[in-house]
């Protein structure tokens, strides 16, 4: 596999996130929930941009603790996908409504789904059903992994619907 494109794209992502963190550092110090959500979304993207090329780098390489490193990095990436997409949904809602009480009232299914996805990542370490790593340290996605991608689209659709609904309510 040619990793140059992966390194370049993620390197650009790291650079952009560091610049964005620098520019928004004053907002990150504020107590507003949406500012904290934005800060943590930036951190998630930054960590993912570092973890993805590292996971590709160790894929199919055998060294001390390579199996552990592969499982750790890939589990982290799946967890970051779930957290980031859920935080983005919450960020949209706070940006539009600014009301913390809406979260439990309007997003119970999304909260439950995010919790299940995170728990599934932990279970996957012991009983692979999302992804597996074989004896040659080769990473393979399993069919359940596509649930994560579907969830990202579900959260994006929920964010779009929230935006649409808010615009409609405000006339």
């Amino acid at each position: 596999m040619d990793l140059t494109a992966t390194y370049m794209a993620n390197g650009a992502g790291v650079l952009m996130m560091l610049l964005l963190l620098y520019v928004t550092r004053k907002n990150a110090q504020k107590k507003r929930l949406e500012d904290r959500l934005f800060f943590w979304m930036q951190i998630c993207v930054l960590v993912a941009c570092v973890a993805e090329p590292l996971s590709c780098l160790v894929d199919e390489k055998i060294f001390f603790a390579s199996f552990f490193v592969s499982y750790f990095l890939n589990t982290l990436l799946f967890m970051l996908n779930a957290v980031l997409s859920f935080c983005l949904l919450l960020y949209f809602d706070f940006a539009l409504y600014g009301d913390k009480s809406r979260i439990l009232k309007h997003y119970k299914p999304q909260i439950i789904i995010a919790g299940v996805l995170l728990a599934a990542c932990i279970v996957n370490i012991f009983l692979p059903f999302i992804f597996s790593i074989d004896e040659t340290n080769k990473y393979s996605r399993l069919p359940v992994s596509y649930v994560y991608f579907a969830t990202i689209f579900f959260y994006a659709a929920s964010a779009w619907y929230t935006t649409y609904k808010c615009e409609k309510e405000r006339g």
Side-chain angles (χ1 to χ4, degrees):
M1 173 194 324
D2 179 26
L3 296 178
T4 304
T6 300
Y7 295 147
M8 294 300 291
N10 284 286
V14 167
L15 180 60
M16 286 188 268
M17 285 301 103
L18 289 173
L19 289 169
L20 196 54
L21 280 164
Y22 178 75
V23 170
T24 61
R25 70 190 179 281
K26 290 181 183 171
N27 282 348
Q29 297 169 2
K30 293 181 181 175
K31 297 294 183 210
R32 292 182 347 180
L33 185 55
E34 58 267 35
D35 292 330
R36 287 181 287 163
L37 276 171
F38 189 70
F39 171 78
W40 285 109
M41 287 189 303
Q42 291 171 319
I43 296 298
C44 284
V45 171
L46 180 64
V47 171
C49 285
V50 171
E52 184 187 19
L54 288 176
S55 71
C56 292
L57 185 66
V58 301
D59 191 35
E60 296 187 71
K61 306 285 188 310
I62 304 295
F63 56 90
F64 178 74
S66 59
F67 186 75
F68 171 78
V69 171
S70 291
Y71 255 101
F72 173 77
L73 290 170
N74 287 292
T75 299
L76 179 65
L77 286 165
F78 272 93
M79 291 178 107
L80 287 171
N81 279 325
V83 169
L84 179 61
S85 57
F86 179 67
C87 285
L88 185 63
L89 172 61
L90 296 184
Y91 180 78
F92 267 70
D93 193 273
F94 284 123
L96 294 167
Y97 292 100
D99 183 6
K100 292 178 189 178
S101 66
R102 285 178 48 85
I103 297 305
L104 285 176
K105 190 183 338 179
H106 292 279
Y107 295 111
K108 282 181 188 172
Q110 290 90 336
I111 292 168
I112 292 168
I113 291 168
V116 167
L117 291 177
L118 293 175
C121 286
I122 302 302
V123 171
N124 187 76
I125 294 168
F126 306 102
L127 180 66
F129 64 101
I130 301 168
F131 68 87
S132 65
I133 298 173
D134 68 16
E135 61 280 347
T136 65
N137 207 38
K138 182 177 175 159
Y139 165 85
S140 298
R141 283 189 193 132
L142 300 174
V144 174
S145 68
Y146 296 101
V147 170
Y148 278 79
F149 304 120
T151 302
I152 291 169
F153 289 114
F154 170 69
Y155 286 148
S158 295
W160 175 83
Y161 178 74
T162 299
T163 304
Y164 172 78
K165 186 177 168 192
C166 181
E167 288 175 352
K168 202 167 183 175
E169 288 170 357
R170 294 180 180 172

